Amino acid sequence: MFDPTAFENIKVVIEGDIYDRDLSGEIIVIDRNDWINAAKLSRKYEISFTKKGYDPGLLSATMTIEAGLENLSAELLESVDAKQLAGCLVGISFSLVHQNEINIFEEVQKVLTEIWGEDRAIRQTVMLEALENKSPIQNDVKVAFNRLVYEEQIDDLSEMVHYMINSLEKIKKIIL
């Protein structure tokens, strides 16, 4: 019998939680990608959503999980030394469009630090028209955990979805 990998188990739980919230009308799933890289023997899954009633072109959230060859082999080989690699990388990101004003960047940083904690690396990257210094701009915000997530922490991932929704609500108040 096939024993699913940590990546597969985590993906199924995340996907189920997010689609349950979509079916209840709390959020709207706007994109989903599931990649297998045959050259590097890696997997990547991402799912994006926004709150019901929000414009997905102006504000959305994405959860990404990734597992590389080292993660899969650590799990399948089950050596004691490799067990620490038998997990996935999880990333959270937000895409928002807002005016190019420093106070908005500072408020977004402050709110996300309050929600996700001081230990998280929160990075804002801006895209704008280089020859036209006009607003609004596209701000891609990444919340990095800089560690692997293991199957034993699956329940924490459902809590992360709640934090993502809370983040969307607070960011919307800032960018409007």
Side-chain angles (χ1 to χ4, degrees), residues 4 20 34 52 59 66 89 111 122-123 130-131 135 139 141:
D20 283 348
D34 195 351
K52 184 176 182 178
L59 180 59
E66 297 180 67
L89 288 172
V111 161
I122 300 170
R123 183 175 180 158
L131 299 177
S135 280
N139 185 355
V141 186

Side-chain angles (χ1 to χ4, degrees), residues 10-152:
I10 290 171
K11 177 187 148 198
V12 166
V13 169
I14 290 302
E15 195 170 42
D17 187 26
I18 290 175
Y19 275 109
D20 283 348
R21 292 172 191 252
D22 180 83
L23 287 170
S24 75
E26 180 181 10
I27 63 173
I28 298 167
V29 173
I30 56 174
D31 196 17
R32 182 176 66 96
N33 295 292
D34 195 351
W35 293 285
I36 298 173
N37 185 329
K40 296 179 182 174
L41 298 176
S42 64
R43 296 283 313 268
K44 182 176 179 181
Y45 175 79
E46 67 181 24
I47 187 163
S48 301
F49 62 88
T50 193
K51 285 272 295 176
K52 184 176 182 178
Y54 288 19
D55 181 345
L58 298 179
L59 180 59
S60 64
T62 301
M63 180 180 279
T64 305
I65 61 171
E66 297 180 67
L69 175 60
E70 64 279 358
N71 307 114
L72 178 61
S73 64
E75 190 170 350
L76 295 176
L77 296 175
E78 295 183 359
S79 78
V80 175
D81 295 335
K83 267 300 194 202
Q84 64 199 18
L85 294 173
C88 301
L89 288 172
V90 174
I92 304 296
S93 61
F94 301 93
S95 176
L96 41 147
V97 174
H98 60 79
Q99 297 302 311
N100 192 4
E101 298 172 8
I102 190 70
N103 63 316
I104 295 175
F105 295 106
E106 292 169 344
E107 282 297 312
V108 167
Q109 192 78 19
K110 179 182 172 197
V111 161
L112 292 179
T113 301
E114 288 171 1
I115 293 170
W116 295 96
E118 296 282 337
D119 297 337
R120 307 291 170 255
I122 300 170
R123 183 175 180 158
Q124 299 183 58
T125 305
V126 175
M127 289 193 291
L128 55 88
E129 289 290 329
L131 299 177
E132 298 178 29
N133 193 13
K134 295 194 298 189
S135 280
I137 52 89
Q138 171 83 34
N139 185 355
D140 291 319
V141 186
K142 295 196 181 316
V143 179
F145 299 93
N146 300 322
R147 65 176 182 84
L148 290 175
V149 173
Y150 305 98
E151 276 184 286
E152 298 80 36

